[in-house]
Amino acid sequence: MLFSPAEWSAMKLSLWVSLLSVVIQLPFTAWLAWTLARRKVRFSAFIEAFCNLPQVLPPVVTGLLLLSLLGKHGLVGQYLYQWFGVVLPFSTAGVVVVSMVVSFPIMLGFFKSAFEMVDKSFEEAAQTLGYSRFRAVLKFTIPMSLPGLATGVVLAFARCLGEFGATITFAGNIQGSTQTIPLAVYAAFQSLGSEGAMWRLVLVSVVLSVSALLVTSYFKNRRQ
Amino acid sequence: MSSLKVDIKVMAGSFAGEYKFALEAGIHGVYGPSGNGKTTLFNAVAGLLNPTEGTVSVGERVLFSSVLNQNIPVHHRKVGFCFQGYRLFPHLSVAKNIVASKGGSTKKPLFNELVGLLGLEPLLSKNVLQCSGGEQQRVAIARALFICPDVLLLDEPFAALDPQNRAKVIALLHKIAQRFTIPILVISHQLDDIQLLTDSILMINAGKVAYCGSLSTYVFSNGPHPTVLSKYKNVLRFSLKPAEVAHYYYALNHTLNLRFLVERAGLYETESLTAMLPPSEIVLSIHPLQGVSARNQIKATVVKLYTEGARTWCVADAGELVVSEITTTAAVELNLKPGDTVWCIFKSVVLEFN
């Protein structure tokens, strides 16, 4: 076997967590991006600044803030535990939440500019061709903004794959449940005699990142 | 046969408009300075802008009525709209743009008919962004006609076209008007474009209908506004007769007794030609002139004179009505008055053949 069971587990977890994070946040991010791009929203600058916080905050600070918010005794977390018995920190679900938080600004930014790039007037043109406003958006605006939307999804996915600081703070580094590729690399780096595992996972990270960049450049070229 | 009836008030931001007119099937020019509410009118007819009050109807169909509390949404109005800038879908081919309307398919017989009518066959598989401005204009017209509209609106279709493409689109619109018996409204801020298309004009000024009817009647009988007169050009129509030299034709206007040698080009295949003669290029003389280079001297009788400050427009009957523009000083010195005989003199090179 090329990879050990622990390495496979880290890779599978990374891919699953990234996929879930992207899929779960997609509808809300698309809606918010659409709203910010097309509607007059009060305090839109403030909303955008808040949404972009995870991009500029030190990851460990994001992790700590999430702990104080969603931890078992956190502002929201205490109710999640009391009402539903859900404990997010140090769980796989917690890794998904962290990934969503850190990748959300990337997806939002790309989605918003993708929608802004398609002039509203195309929807008016589609309406004169027999489509309701909603169907005009589905039939023309979405396909026209698809390269930007796809780039946003791929880069958000790549961001989830690379997430480290906030995850280790909020979810720990538990093999099999919260240890993603970056955390496994870190663990291998810290333990003697694990150089082989470390470099194998580094290689996997590089391959995944390069693939993501190739996909985004494909969409970028399509847009041009 | 459908007619468009509009009697509405609109508010678009700080702009207030009031439109009242009725137009039958055929081509109608919508003329007025930029920013005076021509596109606003189109938006209100198409349903992209809701009037504050009034009625819009096509034939028996009421599209908007504040009294009946009726407002048919844009997508059910069947109003074909060719936007300024075309708004073609950039991710689709020409063929897919034409059939982009709901339920559209290249299998419908109308597709082939429109492709043939507008000469789009060689472009069908091209991406619209690879098409020239003139080609995009034709695709936009085909797309709007594919919904079998009850009214066709064209917003500044000539704005981005060179003179050759402009002439092509004008010829196409004449063909379309023969095939589709619907009101076709064409916005232009160039009066000569409208004159080449039609004599029926809807003048919009400061958000109001300043005139609706025949342009000739307006210019020759109604005492037109000087801003219209200063843009007006005489439209002379010529039949074509092959000349002795290959590729050359004689352009003939029997009424005015004019004959010009013109080189044949693609545009002249219709066997008739139109030329614009700007009134300011005509010299008026009360005697026929001899020993001058200008080859065209048309004898005419003065019908009307309009004076506006330093300029005077003289409408003279030479079998056709010809408008010439001279200085008021010249008109006074020549002592021009209706009934006088004058010679309208112009150089052949000032004729703008289309």
Side-chain angles (χ1 to χ4, degrees), chain A residues 21-168:
Chain A
S21 307
V22 168
V23 170
I24 293 170
Q25 67 171 307
L26 195 103
F28 172 73
T29 313
W31 170 80
L32 185 63
W34 177 267
T35 308
L36 290 171
R38 290 297 179 86
R39 301 218 169 112
K40 278 181 188 164
V41 182
R42 269 187 165 195
F43 312 116
S44 62
F46 178 78
I47 295 169
E48 276 188 61
F50 180 76
C51 291
N52 280 317
L53 257 186
Q55 215 161 354
V56 287
L57 277 178
V60 65
V61 174
T62 307
L64 281 171
L65 287 173
L66 281 175
L67 259 184
S68 66
L69 190 73
L70 299 173
K72 203 169 165 182
H73 305 290
L75 279 172
V76 179
Q78 56 178 311
Y79 299 107
L80 285 177
Y81 178 63
Q82 279 171 26
W83 295 343
F84 309 108
V86 172
V87 181
L88 284 175
F90 307 101
S91 72
T92 307
V95 185
V96 174
V97 170
V98 172
S99 297
M100 274 164 49
V101 170
V102 296
S103 62
F104 169 68
I106 294 173
M107 203 192 269
L108 182 72
F110 275 92
F111 276 28
K112 184 172 167 264
S113 53
F115 290 137
E116 279 169 346
M117 274 176 73
V118 179
D119 199 295
K120 202 176 145 190
S121 63
F122 286 109
E123 283 148 40
E124 290 181 346
Q127 282 176 277
T128 66
L129 298 173
Y131 297 94
S132 66
R133 185 78 198 274
F134 181 67
R135 288 188 69 95
V137 170
L138 286 187
K139 174 103 179 158
F140 297 103
T141 311
I142 302 288
M144 281 161 78
S145 39
L146 206 55
L149 299 179
T151 305
V153 166
V154 174
L155 286 183
F157 184 81
R159 177 68 185 86
C160 293
L161 282 176
E163 167 46 31
F164 175 79
T167 307
I168 204 165

Side-chain angles (χ1 to χ4, degrees), chain B residues 75-226:
Chain B
H75 58 287
H76 288 147
R77 285 206 178 193
K78 291 192 78 171
V79 173
F81 202 144
C82 289
F83 297 89
Q84 191 174 9
Y86 317 129
R87 300 189 194 177
L88 296 172
F89 303 116
H91 62 303
L92 299 179
S93 66
V94 166
K96 285 186 175 164
N97 260 286
I98 297 171
V99 299
S101 51
K102 198 176 176 193
S105 154
T106 51
K107 287 180 186 128
K108 287 191 175 176
L110 184 60
F111 174 76
N112 287 328
E113 192 191 338
L114 287 173
V115 167
L117 186 72
L118 294 159
L120 294 168
E121 185 74 49
L123 309 174
L124 290 177
S125 56
K126 255 187 172 182
N127 181 284
V128 278
L129 297 182
Q130 294 170 317
C131 296
S132 69
E135 290 167 345
Q136 291 192 16
Q137 178 64 261
R138 284 184 281 148
V139 178
I141 294 172
R143 184 178 73 171
L145 284 173
F146 195 70
I147 64 165
C148 294
D150 292 337
V151 185
L152 179 63
L153 310 174
L154 296 109
D155 192 354
E156 296 280 8
F158 311 113
L161 300 185
D162 57 41
Q164 234 182 357
N165 272 310
R166 189 174 291 202
K168 266 188 197 169
V169 172
I170 287 171
L172 283 173
L173 288 175
H174 283 299
K175 274 198 217 171
I176 288 164
Q178 283 174 351
R179 162 67 181 79
F180 297 87
T181 45
I182 54 171
I184 301 171
L185 277 67
V186 184
I187 286 183
S188 181
H189 61 272
Q190 301 273 28
L191 191 62
D192 48 351
D193 284 339
I194 292 176
Q195 285 189 268
L196 287 172
L197 264 178
T198 176
D199 187 47
S200 171
I201 195 160
L202 180 71
M203 281 185 211
I204 307 286
N205 196 19
K208 288 203 167 88
V209 175
Y211 178 77
C212 179
S214 152
L215 178 65
S216 316
T217 308
Y218 181 71
V219 169
F220 299 138
S221 321
N222 288 17
H225 199 273

